[in-house]
Amino acid sequence: MFEEVHHRPCGRPTKSGTPCRAQFSGPGFACKLHTTDHEKALVQAYQQGFETGRAQERERRLRAEAAQVEHLERQIRTLREELDAKNRRFEVDGDQAVTVDGYGYRWSGPGTLEVGDRVLLPENYVSALRHGPGPFPGTVTELGTIYTGILSTIISRAPATPRQTG
């Protein structure tokens, strides 16, 4: 009755008494001409329930997938933090190691740098293209660095910029 059978004959008796040969598909009891109102209501209820079930299953699957993604992202963060803790250097040959705008540098000047401090960095081939020749400013974004190569030395703390009054 509710199986998805395609192109089957109705079979209900016609006015002449012979079986109806009209073909119909999908869930149902008979062709449209021979289906009673009660049967139509049953088929409609079945289809509505079927669609509701599919929608709920889709919703459950999406929630489960979102939870899985969240779990994996948490796991990645944890592993990155553990790896960072193992590889982070705070000192290189007696100098303070810091991360400035995503890149590792060393500080041999007076005092220690803190996150948020503005510094002047030595020119490199990328900075020459972006900022022009000479030193360029940067901001300390992290204490320590995970970069394992040779670190450039910060030139100095950046001069304080005068505040503009409005």
Side-chain angles (χ1 to χ4, degrees), residues 37-128:
D37 289 340
H38 178 69
E39 291 170 337
K40 287 178 186 175
L42 284 174
V43 169
Q44 185 179 5
Y46 166 78
Q47 288 173 326
Q48 185 178 1
F50 186 79
E51 287 304 314
T52 301
R54 288 184 74 169
Q56 288 175 350
E57 172 57 28
R58 253 191 319 272
E59 210 175 285
R60 268 193 288 276
R61 188 177 62 247
L62 288 174
R63 279 197 311 267
E65 288 170 354
Q68 178 72 7
V69 166
E70 186 179 317
H71 169 72
L72 290 172
E73 286 173 344
R74 248 189 339 268
Q75 200 172 23
I76 288 169
R77 271 193 309 275
T78 301
L79 290 171
R80 280 186 177 157
E81 288 168 3
E82 289 174 5
L83 185 61
D84 181 277
K86 287 180 185 176
N87 295 329
R88 184 160 292 276
R89 301 185 298 167
F90 293 94
E91 194 175 286
V92 174
D93 297 331
D95 294 340
Q96 181 185 10
V98 294
T99 301
V100 178
D101 299 326
Y103 296 96
Y105 288 91
R106 60 194 297 168
W107 169 248
S108 58
T112 58
L113 295 174
E114 297 296 326
V115 172
D117 286 351
R118 301 280 295 151
V119 293
L120 283 179
L121 304 170
E123 175 185 340
N124 60 49
Y125 69 96
V126 175
S127 72

Side-chain angles (χ1 to χ4, degrees), residues 2-18:
F2 292 114
E3 296 86 31
E4 291 289 329
V5 179
H6 300 283
H7 301 296
R8 61 187 185 274
C10 171
R12 295 262 170 104
T14 61
K15 290 181 184 178
S16 65
T18 60

